[in-house]
Structure formats: C-alpha cells, structure tokens
Amino acid sequence: MRNKFYIIINFLLISFLYSSVFAENLSIQSKKIEFDKKNQKTIFTENVIFKTEDDETLKSEYAEYDKLKGLIILKNQVTLIDKQNNAIETEYAEYFENKKIFLSKGSTKIKTIEGYVVEGKDFTLNNKNESLTSKEKATISDLDGNQIFLDNFEFLNKQNIFKSIGFIQIKDRLRNTYEFSQIYIDTKKKEILGTDIKAFINSEEFKIHQDNKPRIFANSVNLNKEKSTYNKSIFTLCDYRENDKCPPWSIQSSRMLHDNKKKTIYYNNALIKVYNIPIFYVPRLSHPDPSVDRRSGFLPPSISNTKNLGFGVAIPYFFAIDGDKNLTLNSRIFANENPLFLGEYHQVFKSSSLIADFGFTEGYKKTSSTKKPGQKSHLFTSFVKNFKGRNDSQNKIELTFQDVSNDKYFKLYGIKTNLADKYTDVLENSFKFTHSNEKLFVDINASVFETLSENYNDKYEYILPEIALRRNLLSN
C-alpha cells in the first residue's frame, strides 16, 4: 500500500524543477525576425529556438521579447526542454528575466524521462526560490497506470516540501483509491503526512473473501518506508451496505500502525464494533496483515443474529505453534446466552496428517419448554496416513471419530469448520485401510454411522467389517 504514494516523491526528484530555465546569455534563432522600434520589442516567428548557456532549449512558433520590461512572451507549441530531456509543453507562456519566473497560461503538460506526466494549467516555475506551483487542478500519472488528482499543488525544492490542500485522490494500477483533504511530502525524508484519509483497498492480498471491501478511514496518516501510522482510525473488510450504513463489523482505534517489515498491524485502544455497537475493547491489539499466509494473531471477526441465540460475535485467534502444527480458537460471545468455545487443531507429519475439531457450551442461560437445559459439545477427528510397503505397494490408513452431545447442536449454533457444518446430519466413526501393488488390491472398511435426523427409526448403521479383495491375474 505504501509504495503507491511514492509516485509523487519520485516525480518530485526530477532535476529540471530546480535548474535555471534561462541564463544571462541567450542564443536565439528563428526563420523570421522583426523589430518594433516604437515599443522596443523584437518579434520572432516560425521555428523559434532559445538556447541557454546551461544547454536548455525553449521552442515556440512565436516569441515577443520586450527588453525594457525583461519579458519574453511565447505562443504556439511552446516547449521547454532541460538538459536531462524533461519537457514542459503549453500554448502560451511568459518568462520574466529579472524575477527568473516561467509562467504558463492555459493547458500545460510536463513530461519526464522517467515516464511521469503532469497535466494541468497555469504553472509557475520560479527559479529564484526553486518552486513549482499551480492553483488549478492537476493530474500526475506514471507508466504503470497510477494517477494522482490534485486541486492545486506547491513544490518548494529548498525546503524539500510538496504540498496540496483541497481534494486529493490517488488511484493506483490495482484500483486502490486513497483520498485526502491535505497532503505534505518531505522529499528528503521520503515521508508523507496527510489528513482526513479514506483508503479503499482493492488488492487481493488484503482480502479474505472476494466480496471483501477493505478500507481505512483516519483523521491523519504518516507514511514512510518502514511504517504507516493512522491516527483515530476505523478499519473494516466488510462489503458496503445500502444507504452508506455502518459496516457489520469494524475496529476503531486511537492509533493504527502497519509495520511493513514485520507485516503486522498494531492498534492502540482498539474497540471492536458490530453494527456500530461497541462489543469488545482491548488497550493493545495486533494481528498479521492480510498478505501474511501464516502467523499467530487475530483473524477478522464475524457476527451472527439468530432467533434462539440472539446477537453474537466471533473473534478468532490463530496460533502458529510450529511449522507443522497450528491451533485456531474461534469462541463466540452472545449478548444474552452462554458463550460457545470452538477450536480446530491441525498437524502434518512426514506422511500423515491430523485434524481435531471441538466445541463446548454450557447451553441456554434461560431455559423453557423449547430451550432445554444442558451442556452441548462436539469432537471430530480425522487422521490419514500414506506409506509405502514391500514391493513398492501403496498403503493408506484413515481413522475418523465423530461425536456430538446434542442432535440439534450443529444447526442451533451454525457450526462451520473443516470437518462439520450446520448441515451435518450423519456421524461417522470408521477405520479404513487400503493396500495396492501390481498384483493385489485390498480394501478393509469398518464403520458405524449415526443419524442426527428425527425422521429415521434406525439411528445406527454398522459395517463390521467389509473386505474387498482383487487380484490381477495377468501380472507376472
């Protein structure tokens, strides 16, 4: 995100902005030259070329030189080219010899050798105080398709400051958009200060789901090479709602810091809101930024609102225990009911893997004829091992264990994990083994199935055991 802002800084470092446009000695040539004795003016027409002792070139089709006023008026296809081959193009310009000011009027374009283009009108290039300004709207673009839209701008080379006040918008090639009311850039420190920032981030690396609309609003922002700091910020990944309503969830903080090296986002005085209602407060909060594939930290929260349980919020936390194992705790807190504690453990071995999925709740706080008392829980595990046997045989062992204390538990709490969801209506406890080589295939399956549906008379089904044996009679 930070790199997109530096198209401004890179543009500001071009050399022609603070080199002298005109020297004391001018070399002037044109096809036609006329002298107005009455007004003490010299008029140059057709292929007018001014050359300075600093090897800068000024071209136009018409030039009017008033020696008494020290003024040169240029018209028609005016181009100023510096010794680095950067250029300013306009149809009308004035140069004041004594003040060392080059003033364009009307549409003006700057082209740099780096491929940056500045388009606007009424540019003022002051070589004495080394500044470039415009009080009119301007656009800066680069070869990658990044664009900056400004109501005005001022670049002060001696102070290493670029600033703009008004509506400032940056659009990068990934369709990320950043808006400011003021922006100040220290070109020496390569640091950006902005106020009233609205960042609409479209990068896929910042999204958990394709429908996410990541955005950050803040009173002010400080951006440099290593860190991005947002003061009084609000962050959310949620999609937009009709009539610009508040997002389903957001994290509000007095200070949000994005460490670009550590790829971590830190919050001071973090307040998690759900539909703009404060739910959870912590003095300090941190989580990996969405570009990180694996690291301990909070994951984006989610909300729920059901008839039986009411309003609830889930705040998952991911533990990267080691390179081969991790644990995710995804507890749900309800406004009027006991919390639900969920966890999911993953571990990968050399030739096998294990997933354990579990949950527990005390049940309803307030019971009734339809809300029965009692604890509710589940435990699901899945173990798979692949290994080679004699004669390069392929072997596979699968162990599945599934248990739930209440038949309606999954649907009631809307469970959704890698092993179970609210639509799970059959439990499986099984052992499966397969063996295969060029001559023989063996499949052993022993299973117990339990239905959670009330519509079946037979709650259990047993397969004890099932053996399949096939032999290839054509093999040697």
Side-chain angles (χ1 to χ4, degrees):
M1 179 170 62
R2 168 189 58 81
N3 292 333
K4 309 302 183 275
F5 294 101
Y6 281 84
I7 64 173
I8 306 178
I9 291 179
N10 291 332
F11 160 72
L12 296 174
L13 296 178
I14 61 178
S15 59
F16 85 92
L17 290 178
Y18 35 89
S19 60
S20 176
V21 177
F22 292 98
E24 291 296 328
N25 299 316
L26 289 174
S27 170
I28 309 172
Q29 67 180 53
S30 69
K31 284 188 176 182
K32 296 181 181 179
I33 302 176
E34 298 179 11
F35 181 68
D36 187 342
K37 292 183 178 180
K38 182 179 179 180
N39 297 311
Q40 293 294 303
K41 295 180 179 179
T42 304
I43 299 173
F44 306 87
T45 56
E46 296 186 29
N47 296 327
V48 183
I49 299 175
F50 290 76
K51 284 280 189 179
T52 75
E53 62 182 12
D54 290 330
D55 199 26
E56 290 166 339
T57 303
L58 184 63
K59 299 179 180 180
S60 69
E61 290 300 307
Y62 176 93
E64 183 180 301
Y65 179 42
D66 189 329
K67 188 173 183 180
L68 296 177
K69 294 181 179 179
L71 173 63
I72 301 175
I73 296 176
L74 305 120
K75 298 178 183 179
N76 303 331
Q77 302 178 33
V78 181
T79 304
L80 168 64
I81 304 172
D82 73 357
K83 56 187 176 183
Q84 281 80 31
N85 214 30
N86 302 298
I88 300 179
E89 299 175 353
T90 186
E91 288 299 310
Y92 181 95
E94 297 177 355
Y95 176 70
F96 299 87
E97 282 187 296
N98 297 328
K99 295 180 179 179
K100 301 294 182 183
I101 293 176
F102 178 86
L103 176 66
S104 75
K105 292 186 178 180
S107 179
T108 307
K109 181 184 290 186
I110 298 176
K111 296 179 179 179
T112 77
I113 57 172
E114 295 89 351
Y116 295 99
V117 177
V118 186
E119 296 180 271
K121 62 181 183 179
D122 300 353
F123 287 10
T124 300
L125 180 59
N126 190 320
N127 283 284
K128 280 193 172 181
N129 63 15
E130 298 183 10
S131 68
L132 175 68
T133 62
S134 175
K135 295 181 179 179
E136 303 296 332
K137 294 182 182 296
T139 302
I140 303 174
S141 57
D142 67 6
L143 294 175
D144 293 326
N146 303 303
Q147 289 185 302
I148 305 168
F149 302 90
L150 307 163
D151 278 350
N152 54 71
F153 70 87
E154 181 178 9
F155 175 56
L156 307 174
N157 180 59
K158 287 183 178 179
Q159 291 81 18
N160 301 301
I161 293 296
F162 175 92
K163 60 182 179 180
S164 179
I165 300 175
F167 179 72
I168 301 113
Q169 186 181 65
I170 300 175
K171 291 183 177 180
D172 66 28
R173 61 185 179 84
L174 298 175
R175 293 184 292 114
N176 299 314
T177 303
Y178 312 89
E179 298 176 358
F180 305 84
S181 64
Q182 296 184 70
I183 192 169
Y184 295 83
I185 303 174
D186 189 318
T187 58
K188 186 175 182 179
K189 295 180 180 178
K190 293 190 176 182
E191 185 175 51
I192 298 176
L193 300 175
T195 60
D196 301 321
I197 180 174
K198 295 181 178 180
F200 303 91
I201 304 167
N202 189 60
S203 302
E204 292 301 321
E205 65 178 16
F206 248 82
K207 295 182 179 181
I208 306 298
H209 187 273
Q210 63 180 3
D211 293 332
N212 287 158
K213 299 292 187 298
R215 53 198 184 275
I216 305 170
F217 293 177
N219 284 7
S220 62
V221 64
N222 184 329
L223 304 168
N224 56 48
K225 186 177 181 180
E226 296 181 351
K227 297 178 180 179
S228 304
T229 304
Y230 301 84
N231 297 304
K232 294 186 177 179
S233 66
I234 298 176
F235 170 70
T236 186
L237 292 174
C238 298
D239 198 353
Y240 301 113
R241 300 176 65 207
E242 293 182 2
N243 302 319
D244 202 26
K245 293 180 180 178
C246 60
W249 70 263
S250 64
I251 301 178
Q252 179 179 311
S253 64
S254 60
R255 181 173 178 263
M256 173 183 168
L257 186 149
H258 184 195
D259 191 311
N260 299 306
K261 286 187 175 181
K262 296 181 179 179
K263 293 188 176 182
T264 302
I265 300 176
Y266 302 89
Y267 303 88
N268 287 355
N269 299 310
L271 181 62
I272 297 175
K273 290 186 173 182
V274 177
Y275 291 109
N276 216 29
I277 299 174
I279 297 297
F280 186 68
Y281 167 83
V282 287
R284 297 287 187 272
L285 177 66
S286 67
H287 63 78
D289 70 31
S291 67
V292 177
D293 292 329
R294 179 185 174 86
R295 185 191 293 168
S296 295
F298 284 99
L299 301 176
S302 62
I303 60 170
S304 61
N305 192 2
T306 65
K307 179 181 178 181
N308 291 316
L309 299 174
F311 180 80
V313 59
I315 307 173
Y317 191 91
F318 178 81
F319 292 92
I321 301 172
D322 208 339
D324 61 349
K325 57 180 74 75
N326 64 74
L327 173 66
T328 303
L329 297 180
N330 189 15
S331 300
R332 296 186 191 177
I333 301 171
F334 299 97
N336 300 309
E337 292 293 348
N338 289 314
L340 170 67
F341 302 101
L342 295 172
E344 193 168 314
Y345 177 80
H346 293 239
Q347 184 166 359
V348 177
F349 304 93
K350 183 178 180 180
S351 58
S352 59
S353 63
L354 170 68
I355 300 178
D357 186 283
F358 52 90
F360 173 81
T361 177
E362 290 286 349
Y364 291 114
K365 277 186 178 181
K366 296 180 180 180
T367 61
S368 65
S369 58
T370 56
K371 294 183 177 182
K372 302 296 179 67
Q375 299 175 345
K376 298 176 179 66
S377 62
H378 81 278
L379 174 62
F380 278 30
T381 63
S382 174
F383 176 80
V384 179
K385 180 175 178 63
N386 295 282
F387 60 97
K388 284 188 177 182
R390 293 180 179 179
N391 302 320
D392 291 328
S393 64
Q394 300 295 326
N395 302 276
K396 184 177 183 180
I397 296 176
E398 297 179 71
L399 293 172
T400 301
F401 176 82
Q402 298 180 349
D403 181 67
V404 63
S405 64
N406 186 284
D407 292 352
K408 297 181 179 179
Y409 164 74
F410 287 135
K411 289 184 174 63
L412 176 63
Y413 287 92
I415 301 296
K416 185 178 181 181
T417 69
N418 284 314
L419 298 181
D421 59 38
K422 63 181 180 179
Y423 301 108
T424 300
D425 56 5
V426 176
L427 303 182
E428 177 185 352
N429 291 277
S430 62
F431 168 82
K432 296 178 182 178
F433 172 76
T434 59
H435 168 90
S436 62
N437 56 34
E438 291 184 357
K439 298 181 179 180
L440 184 68
F441 175 82
V442 179
D443 181 32
I444 301 174
N445 179 14
S447 305
V448 178
F449 296 95
E450 177 185 353
T451 180
L452 302 180
S453 175
E454 296 178 346
N455 299 325
Y456 288 88
N457 295 324
D458 297 328
K459 190 173 181 63
Y460 296 95
E461 179 182 350
Y462 302 91
I463 301 176
L464 294 174
E466 181 182 60
I467 301 175
L469 178 65
R470 292 195 295 272
R471 184 176 177 83
N472 186 357
L473 299 177
L474 299 178
S475 63
N476 294 328

